[in-house]
């Protein structure tokens, strides 16, 4: 006799309190959720930033800015900038999780963190400061300064840890090569890297320029989650990120329907806040980030892949669906770490044409073209550019440039 097993439904006893609090304090949620079954997550609608149009500057924050501990804002690169507000209890919760990450990574009172993330309305700088402070480490709040400033600190023996985007780490390695400074002999032993994806080939190349015991800790989060408080990976060789399932319920949903995709399939990362006392709760919030669930049930993801793309940046070239992460993996894997590149996507009806510009000699461009053909069956043209001719960024790099219907080129953020 064959036994049939079914997934146990996830515990959603916390959901009713979250929904009730959101309805009571936030008009956006009151309009969307009133009268719905607050005990059944699948019965609630999803939303994204575009859904909040018409609900003011703080559409999902109770009370707006008045009395808030801190206000931050999204970048506005994929729509109108949205402001979000957080209370001390939010900082306490995020600090607890970050402290656990820092302790596991080995960050402590003998360390000094060179923090190169942005401040102002950006969430990265202050939250990475919080990571250091909760772990007992010193903080050097540099912001996204030129890489030469970081090299000066390291040359003076200051800085055992760094927080940065992968793009900034590329600039740091490039600047060190130009200056003749060997980062492998520096005191750096920890890196808290996030705010954009870093393909495996890029991580490997960057690590080869850093001390042999350097530990790359990947952090993931959004402005709406008070920064990198959602997931982490303490080992760059492990392809999955551990999710913060204490503070967030995570789903990986179909792009066209509010239902989970099978484990291992690509879907849209979707969050629900588990705490009713959040000033900015998220209830089935679609992030536009595409991932694969790698552990947990279909209705409750416990572990996920690194980001493979964005739901609003899918590429269909020559009839082939290609994720931006695959483009980045191929190009970065065949270029030196200091060589910049960008992809120009020209919209052409139901299909797209892809041209890649890379700081590379013609023979290297030909190798990249062949790699696309061999790995994904895609014919692309790779145009060689002089070294240093493609713009650099100390923050997030924009490497997919999309030719809009009007014929102009707009910047689409690197996922």
């Amino acid at each position: 006799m064959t036994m049939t097993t079914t997934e146990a439904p996830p515990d959603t006893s916390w959901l009713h309190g979250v929904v009730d609090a959101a309805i009571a304090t936030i008009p956006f949620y009151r309009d969307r959720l009133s009268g719905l079954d607050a005990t059944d997550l699948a019965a609630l609608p999803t939303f994204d930033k575009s859904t909040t149009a018409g609900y003011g500057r703080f559409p999902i924050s109770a009370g707006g800015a008045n009395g808030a501990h801190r206000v931050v804002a999204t970048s506005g690169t994929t729509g109108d900038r949205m402001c979000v507000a957080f209370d001390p209890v939010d900082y306490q919760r995020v600090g607890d999780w970050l402290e656990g990450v820092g302790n596991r990574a080995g960050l402590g009172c003998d360390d000094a963190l060179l923090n190169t993330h942005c401040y102002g309305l950006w969430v990265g700088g202050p939250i990475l400061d919080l990571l250091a402070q909760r772990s007992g480490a010193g903080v050097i709040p540099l912001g996204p300064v030129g890489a030469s400033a970081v090299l000066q600190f390291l040359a003076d023996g200051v800085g055992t840890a760094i927080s940065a985007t992968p793009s900034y780490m590329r600039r740091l390695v490039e600047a060190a090569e130009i200056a003749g400074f060997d980062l492998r002999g520096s005191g750096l032993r920890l890196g808290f890297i996030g705010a954009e994806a870093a393909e495996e080939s890029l991580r490997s190349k960057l690590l080869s320029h850093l001390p042999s015991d350097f530990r790359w800790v990947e952090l993931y989060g959004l402005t709406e989650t008070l920064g990198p408080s959602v997931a982490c990976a303490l080992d760059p060789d492990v392809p999955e990120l551990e999710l913060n399932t204490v503070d967030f319920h995570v789903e990986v949903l179909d792009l066209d329907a509010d239902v989970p995709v099978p484990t291992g399939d690509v879907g849209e990362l979707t969050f629900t806040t588990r705490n009713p006392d959040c000033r900015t709760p998220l209830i089935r919030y679609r992030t536009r980030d595409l991932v694969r669930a790698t552990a947990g049930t279909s209705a409750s993801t416990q572990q996920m892949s690194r980001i493979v793309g964005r739901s609003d940046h899918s590429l269909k070239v020559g009839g082939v669906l290609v994720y931006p992460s695959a483009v980045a993996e191929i190009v970065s894997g065949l270029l030196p770490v200091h060589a910049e590149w960008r992809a120009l996507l020209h919209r052409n009806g139901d299909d797209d044409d892809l041209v890649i510009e890379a700081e590379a000699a013609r023979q290297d461009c030909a190798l990249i073209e062949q790699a696309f053909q061999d790995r994904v069956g895609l014919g692309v043209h790779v145009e060689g550019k002089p070294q240093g001719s493609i713009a650099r960024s100390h923050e997030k790099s924009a490497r997919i440039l999309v030719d809009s219907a009007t014929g102009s080129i707009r910047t689409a953020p690197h996922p």
Side-chain angles (χ1 to χ4, degrees):
M1 179 177 178
T2 302
M3 298 292 293
T4 301
T5 60
T6 58
E7 289 183 358
D11 176 17
T12 55
S13 57
W14 47 271
L15 180 61
H16 199 288
V18 173
V19 173
D20 283 355
I23 289 174
T25 57
I26 302 172
F28 170 75
Y29 285 122
R30 184 180 308 130
D31 291 346
R32 288 181 63 80
L33 304 180
S34 292
L36 300 181
D37 184 357
T39 65
D40 183 3
L41 186 66
L44 303 180
T46 63
F47 79 102
D48 59 25
K49 278 192 292 187
S50 66
T51 317
T52 65
Y55 283 88
R57 185 64 66 98
F58 293 83
I60 57 173
S61 295
N66 294 344
H69 181 67
R70 191 178 187 98
V71 167
V72 294
T74 61
S75 64
T77 53
T78 57
D80 292 338
R81 172 173 284 194
M82 180 171 71
C83 290
V84 289
F86 296 99
D87 284 342
V89 67
D90 300 312
Y91 265 72
Q92 179 66 40
R93 184 181 302 111
V94 171
D96 290 345
W97 188 79
L98 290 173
E99 182 177 347
V101 173
N103 289 341
R104 291 173 61 196
L107 183 68
C109 60
D110 294 329
D111 291 300
L113 177 72
L114 300 163
N115 188 355
T116 70
H117 282 294
C118 292
Y119 290 81
L121 277 174
W122 303 97
V123 73
I127 295 305
L128 269 298
D129 283 356
L130 179 63
L131 165 65
Q133 291 158 359
R134 289 292 298 265
S135 302
V139 179
I140 303 169
L142 295 171
V145 296
S148 60
V150 173
L151 296 180
Q152 290 170 6
F153 275 103
L154 294 176
D156 291 337
V158 178
T160 58
I162 186 169
S163 61
T165 65
S167 293
Y168 193 95
M169 294 301 293
R170 293 183 71 201
R171 302 292 81 76
L172 182 63
V173 166
E174 184 178 22
E177 287 188 338
I178 293 172
F181 184 88
D182 190 355
L183 286 169
R184 291 171 297 185
S186 71
L188 283 177
R189 63 182 196 85
L190 281 172
F192 296 93
I193 315 298
E196 64 179 355
E199 54 273 13
E200 182 181 353
S201 57
L202 175 61
R203 290 197 305 272
S204 297
K205 288 182 178 180
L206 290 173
L207 287 169
S208 71
H209 291 265
L210 295 165
S212 58
D213 62 345
F214 182 86
R215 187 172 192 177
W216 179 300
V217 179
E218 186 163 340
L219 297 175
Y220 172 82
L222 308 168
T223 300
E224 301 91 320
T225 63
L226 191 52
S229 62
V230 174
C232 71
L234 280 78
D235 184 345
D237 294 328
V238 175
E240 291 89 14
L241 298 179
E242 300 176 27
L243 287 161
N244 175 4
T245 56
V246 173
D247 296 325
F248 300 99
H249 179 90
V250 182
E251 301 171 276
V252 180
L253 299 181
D254 185 273
L255 298 185
D256 300 316
D258 290 346
V259 295
V261 299
T263 299
D265 287 1
V266 172
E268 186 170 0
L269 190 60
T270 304
F271 296 135
T272 299
T273 305
R274 294 176 62 94
N275 306 286
D277 57 348
C278 282
R279 191 183 185 100
T280 299
L282 303 173
I283 301 175
R284 302 200 87 189
Y285 181 63
R286 286 182 174 265
T287 65
R288 297 181 179 170
D289 285 332
L290 302 179
V291 300
R292 293 179 175 88
T294 59
T297 68
S298 62
S300 181
T301 301
Q302 305 292 313
Q303 200 172 65
M304 70 179 190
S305 70
R306 288 177 166 83
I307 307 300
V308 302
R310 296 272 294 176
S311 63
D312 45 1
H313 298 156
S314 60
L315 314 177
K316 187 180 180 184
V317 186
V320 179
L321 180 64
V322 183
Y323 292 114
S325 60
V327 175
E329 185 66 43
I330 292 173
V331 179
S332 295
L334 292 171
L335 289 178
V337 69
H338 59 267
E340 190 56 271
W341 63 274
R342 63 180 183 176
L344 308 178
L345 186 72
H346 301 286
R347 298 294 189 193
N348 183 20
D350 293 333
D351 219 341
D352 299 324
D353 298 319
L354 187 65
V355 175
I356 294 171
E357 295 179 347
E359 295 176 352
R362 180 57 216 162
Q363 59 267 31
D364 294 323
C365 293
L367 289 175
I368 296 172
E369 290 172 347
Q370 188 62 50
F372 272 95
Q373 190 66 54
D374 293 343
R375 297 186 199 180
V376 294
L378 185 63
V380 303
H381 173 67
V382 182
E383 181 180 341
K385 295 290 184 180
Q387 180 64 37
S389 62
I390 298 178
R392 267 79 170 145
S393 171
H394 290 307
E395 302 168 29
K396 298 182 184 181
S397 289
R399 295 199 180 94
I400 306 293
L401 304 180
V402 181
D403 187 358
S404 71
T406 62
S408 61
I409 299 293
R410 65 177 177 84
T411 300
H414 188 56

